[in-house]
Every structure is written in structure tokens, then in C-alpha cells.
Amino acid sequence: GHTVYGWDTNKSLIAVLRDRASVLNPEPEINRLLIDNAKNLSFMSLTEVAGCEIIFVAVPTLHPPEMDGSQLYSGPPQDFDYKPLETALKSLRDGLSGRTRRCSIGIMSTVSPGTTRKFADLFDGLDVDLFYTPSLISLGSVYQDFLNPPFSLIGTSDVGAIMGDQSLPVWVLSNFYKS
């Protein structure tokens, strides 16, 4: 076990979860887990989240509806919608200002190659390591997919991390996944 905290910009959702109300969720196990583990759910302010050693960011990064994969798309290539991710990362950056300890932020959302590098500039001047660590899940089986991932992926452009410098946060993240 790890101590896990939640933070969301959607204050209504947090209020529902704090009141232990059932959330309408199409995932078969989610409502049961929320009820069974209500005493273990903790929600924090952004300032408190910013004090954590590892922060995972999981927000939607959707394609336009015509690119959902249900039919052949023959139009021009388009990237994901990164506005929710950018908003979350900017909020984190603002919450991290003044922090003195190193922090690892793992982007779990689906992104194209190079996106993490683009967003790393948001954290210039802060002791933050930004990584890509996608959650390999499918809607309808999120719970089972989290419990049984085919593998864990950690992407970084930090050469020290790639070469095995175990003092770097990529190793903190790796050790987190192993436990």
C-alpha cells in the first residue's frame, strides 16, 4: 500500500465523493469499490497535492468524434485535444510554486510522441520531472485493466534516467509501479 489522494477541478464531483454518494459509472466494479473503500478515500486541496512526491495526471485527451475508430477516417491527420491536460498541468505548476522538494509528475492520458516535452516547459524553474506513463485501460474494463496491466511504460527525455541514474525520479516511479 500507498497512500493515495485525489484532486479534481470538478468541485461537484468531489462533493459527491466526499458525501459517499454513489456515482453513476458504467464500470461494473467502480460504485462497489467507492462504497467499500469510502473510509480510505481522501481528497486534498491543490496545495496539499503539490506536496506529494509523485503526482499522476489522468484527464481526457479526445479526438474529434469522426476519428473515434468506428469507421475509416480519410481526412487530414489531427492530434488529440490537449486543453484539459494543459489546464491540469498549469494548475499543478501554480500549486507547485515555492516547493523546495523534487517532484515527479506522470502524465497518464493518451498523448502523441513529443507532447510531454512540449509541456515540460511549463515547469521551467521548478524541480519537477515530467514523465509519460500511460494507463493502458479501456472503457468498460478500467478496474480490471488497472489491476492487470500488460506492462508499465515510463517515457522521459532525461538522459540520466535512461542511463540508470537511480537517484532520479524515474526510478521513484519505477519502484512505485513495482510495489
Side-chain angles (χ1 to χ4, degrees), residues 90-157:
K90 283 181 176 179
S91 292
L92 276 175
R93 177 203 57 209
D94 295 345
L96 289 168
S97 65
R99 180 186 168 108
T100 56
R101 286 187 10 232
R102 192 174 211 168
C103 175
S104 297
I105 299 175
I107 295 175
M108 299 177 77
S109 307
T110 302
V111 299
S112 296
T115 303
T116 303
R117 190 174 304 120
K118 175 183 131 184
F119 285 123
D121 293 345
L122 290 174
F123 299 95
D124 279 351
L126 297 173
D127 199 5
V128 170
D129 294 288
L130 191 63
F131 299 94
Y132 179 54
T133 181
S135 53
L136 305 168
I137 58 170
S138 298
L139 293 178
S141 61
V142 170
Y143 175 69
Q144 288 301 320
D145 293 346
F146 265 118
L147 288 180
N148 304 296
F151 57 88
S152 297
L153 175 68
I154 302 171
T156 180
S157 59

Side-chain angles (χ1 to χ4, degrees), residues 26-96:
E27 300 288 333
E29 291 98 353
I30 299 298
N31 283 326
R32 180 185 58 77
L33 287 168
L34 286 171
I35 292 165
D36 291 352
N37 294 287
K39 67 182 183 314
N40 299 323
L41 294 176
S42 297
F43 300 95
M44 305 172 79
S45 70
L46 176 57
T47 305
E48 292 168 315
V49 168
C52 294
E53 181 181 11
I54 303 172
I55 301 170
F56 293 102
V57 178
V59 296
T61 51
L62 304 174
H63 268 307
E66 65 273 13
M67 296 181 72
D68 69 358
S70 64
Q71 59 187 345
L72 182 62
Y73 174 75
S74 59
Q78 297 181 47
D79 206 348
F80 297 97
D81 178 5
Y82 295 123
K83 287 184 190 100
L85 179 59
E86 184 173 17
T87 299
L89 291 174
K90 283 181 176 179
S91 292
L92 276 175
R93 177 203 57 209
D94 295 345
L96 289 168

Side-chain angles (χ1 to χ4, degrees), residues 159-173:
V159 175
I162 295 167
M163 299 306 292
D165 179 349
Q166 295 196 12
S167 68
L168 294 173
V170 71
W171 290 98
V172 170
L173 209 53

